[in-house]
Amino acid sequence: MRKILLGAVLTLVIVFTFKHCEDKTDEQAMLLERSALIQKQINNVGKLVVTEGYFSEVFTYKSSKAVFGDLLSAEKKALVVVNAEVTLAYDLSKLNYEIDEVQKTLTLTQIPEAELKINPDLEYYDIQADYLNPFGANDYNAINKKVKAVLAKKIEASDLKANAKNRLISELSKLYILTNSLGWTLKYNTNIIDSPESLETISL
């Protein structure tokens, strides 16, 4: 009787031990599977998010040059029509992050800054220049520099940056939705992202 009882106990111990090891293996497999799923979503998000804008401006360029001391002034001027294509881009392939499988946490450690590109198309009209003060490469370079400075100010005053950030948050929200559905936590450095709205408070 004792042998039968001892045998039954040993059998139960072996079964429970096997079952425990099997459960632990399944849990580890699930953990790795979820980590792989999060990694895949990061790769899907890791693309170039581009917001485009178009600006038009008309400039009058004037420049004068003293000749023969201060006896004469040679002037030149031109009307410049500018049509510019502007892009603000977030390269999310540069997104830095850490995955903690034990704590089930995805931490975004660095979000790339927006890259601003201004591509102006300049057309010159009514160019007037004195023989002693002709238009040259320096004038065109000065006009181009001035145009980009003015456009940069117009971009700051426009809603282009806000639109670009909204598109960025829309992409990052996909990470929140996935981590939340898997029971993981999404963080930006030390801040916990507990809703898609929390992403809007991120300082870029």
Side-chain angles (χ1 to χ4, degrees):
M1 185 67 179
R2 287 181 179 178
K3 288 183 179 181
I4 294 173
L5 188 60
L6 184 61
V9 170
L10 285 173
T11 301
L12 286 173
V13 169
I14 292 170
V15 168
F16 280 121
T17 301
F18 180 77
K19 180 65 176 171
H20 176 71
C21 292
E22 190 178 52
D23 289 344
K24 209 163 185 182
T25 302
D26 289 344
E27 182 182 342
Q28 182 68 16
M30 186 175 291
L31 195 64
L32 291 173
E33 183 181 339
R34 289 182 175 179
S35 297
L37 193 60
I38 290 172
Q39 181 68 59
K40 183 179 179 181
Q41 183 62 59
I42 292 173
N43 292 339
N44 289 339
V45 168
K47 60 186 179 182
L48 195 64
V49 180
V50 180
T51 303
E52 294 182 336
Y54 298 89
F55 295 84
S56 296
E57 194 73 48
V58 178
F59 295 89
T60 299
Y61 174 76
K62 291 183 179 180
S63 177
S64 61
K65 177 183 178 183
V67 293
F68 303 117
D70 292 327
L71 297 176
L72 293 174
S73 177
E75 295 187 348
K76 55 186 170 183
K77 64 180 181 177
L79 188 69
V80 186
V81 177
V82 180
N83 291 297
E85 179 184 3
V86 177
T87 60
L88 268 173
Y90 289 96
D91 187 356
L92 292 182
S93 66
K94 298 176 182 177
L95 182 70
N96 292 337
Y97 61 91
E98 296 173 356
I99 295 177
D100 188 335
E101 296 177 349
V102 177
Q103 299 297 324
K104 297 182 180 179
T105 301
L106 169 61
T107 303
L108 307 179
T109 57
Q110 185 177 8
I111 298 172
E113 294 182 0
E115 300 172 6
L116 174 64
K117 290 185 179 179
I118 302 174
N119 299 306
D121 178 27
L122 281 64
E123 295 182 11
Y124 296 87
Y125 298 92
D126 194 25
I127 297 176
Q128 299 177 25
D130 193 283
Y131 174 76
L132 298 174
N133 189 16
F135 261 84
N138 289 339
D139 295 296
Y140 293 110
N141 290 336
I143 292 171
N144 193 53
K145 186 177 180 180
K146 178 66 175 177
V147 164
K148 287 188 175 181
V150 171
L151 289 175
K153 288 184 179 180
K154 288 178 72 74
I155 291 165
E156 285 292 334
S158 74
D159 57 1
L160 189 66
K161 280 195 169 183
N163 291 341
K165 185 175 180 180
N166 287 338
R167 290 197 60 193
L168 170 67
I169 290 171
S170 177
E171 289 298 320
L172 296 179
S173 293
K174 296 175 184 178
L175 296 177
Y176 167 76
I177 292 169
L178 179 60
T179 52
N180 187 57
S181 67
L182 295 177
W184 281 51
T185 300
L186 177 64
K187 296 173 67 178
Y188 177 59
N189 291 321
T190 59
N191 299 319
I192 294 176
I193 306 299
D194 55 8
S195 69
E197 291 72 25
S198 300
L199 289 166
E200 296 178 10
T201 64
I202 290 177
S203 178
L204 299 173

